[in-house]
Amino acid sequence: MSTGPRGPEQLIEMHTPEGVSERLKKGTPQSYLKDMVYGGIDGTITTFAIVSGVVGADLASGIVVILGLANLFADGFSMAVSNFLGTRAEQQFVHMVRTDEEREIELIPEGEREEIRQIYARKGFDGDLLEQVVQVITSDKKVWVDTMLQEEHSLSLEGPDPRRSAWLTFITFVIAGFVPITPFIINLVGNNVMSNPFLWSAIATATTFFAIGIFKAKVVSANKIRSGIETVAIGGMAATMAYGIGWLLRGVADNI
């Protein structure tokens, strides 16, 4: 995973014949940034939304802890499983397309060669050079199929590990999602040591949002302050909606 722009010396070293060969041998590095950011933000938003809704409805603090913990692990597990199945489905789709291309190469090789020819003609190759490119690519079936996947179908040959994606989603969801309910747990265990646990929960949650935004910005070399504020704003909108709904329905629980 990239952590920012590289210096001139590092770039030069990476682009020597040995450096290029080593990088290509390692393959394309997979980024799990989406899984970590998605899990962290969703965990914080959903848990704080429960906190806000319960507080807005003026219910007991113990309910915040019960609902918060139940949601934390149940929703975190659900997200992890969904991410696993979604990532694996993408891999299965690539495998299906690869199988189709292999079959088409067996049945209609000239038609598949023509597809390669037109693909590279659009890239500016022509004449004898174009025919040489077509010959080289179609002489190796794996290279041929890989080229069709990338150029015709715009598919990536390598993707993230579904299990790792799922675990990272779950772990970041639980860690970040635990923050909003921590003041209420402390209050419950410490016999109301905090006069306003919701205020501390809001501060801790905003700090977590900001930290996630800074982490994301650091990885992609974006503006850290802007990214942090953007993440806080998105989380704040979700919390405001949850609090408002809880406030509007605050009398419903008493009538059940």
Side-chain angles (χ1 to χ4, degrees), residues 130-247:
L130 174 60
E131 295 305 318
Q132 290 175 20
V133 170
V134 173
Q135 176 59 33
V136 169
I137 291 175
T138 58
S139 63
D140 185 317
K141 187 175 181 179
K142 183 179 183 306
V143 173
W144 191 351
V145 174
D146 286 350
T147 302
M148 297 304 294
L149 289 177
Q150 291 176 306
E151 301 294 342
E152 182 183 10
H153 300 281
S154 300
L155 295 174
S156 175
L157 300 180
E158 301 177 17
D161 179 9
R163 290 168 297 183
R164 189 173 182 185
S165 293
W167 272 113
L168 283 172
T169 299
F170 180 75
I171 290 171
T172 52
F173 186 100
V174 170
I175 291 175
F178 197 77
V179 171
I181 59 175
T182 299
F184 292 90
I185 294 176
I186 294 174
N187 235 24
L188 197 64
V189 174
N191 195 22
N192 296 323
V193 294
M194 296 181 184
S195 60
N196 192 346
F198 180 65
L199 174 62
W200 288 105
S201 176
I203 293 173
T205 300
T207 303
T208 303
F209 280 136
F210 197 77
I212 293 173
I214 289 178
F215 169 74
K216 179 185 69 173
K218 184 178 180 181
V219 173
V220 300
S221 300
N223 185 289
K224 296 180 178 63
I225 302 299
R226 182 182 301 169
S227 179
I229 293 174
E230 177 186 58
T231 310
V232 171
I234 292 172
M237 286 189 290
T240 300
M241 286 189 291
Y243 183 88
I245 293 171
W247 184 83

Side-chain angles (χ1 to χ4, degrees), residues 78-133:
S78 175
M79 278 192 60
V81 170
S82 298
N83 198 0
F84 172 81
L85 294 176
T87 305
R88 191 172 68 170
E90 290 179 352
Q91 291 183 339
Q92 291 170 334
F93 177 74
V94 172
H95 177 72
M96 181 196 70
V97 176
R98 178 181 291 278
T99 302
D100 289 345
E101 286 296 334
E102 290 173 346
R103 180 172 176 272
E104 289 175 6
I105 287 173
E106 292 292 335
L107 295 176
I108 44 172
E110 288 306 317
E112 291 296 302
R113 284 193 182 89
E114 180 60 26
E115 287 184 351
I116 292 291
R117 183 175 291 107
Q118 293 196 25
I119 286 170
Y120 281 88
R122 292 185 177 186
K123 294 178 182 291
F125 293 86
D126 60 11
D128 291 340
L129 180 58
L130 174 60
E131 295 305 318
Q132 290 175 20
V133 170

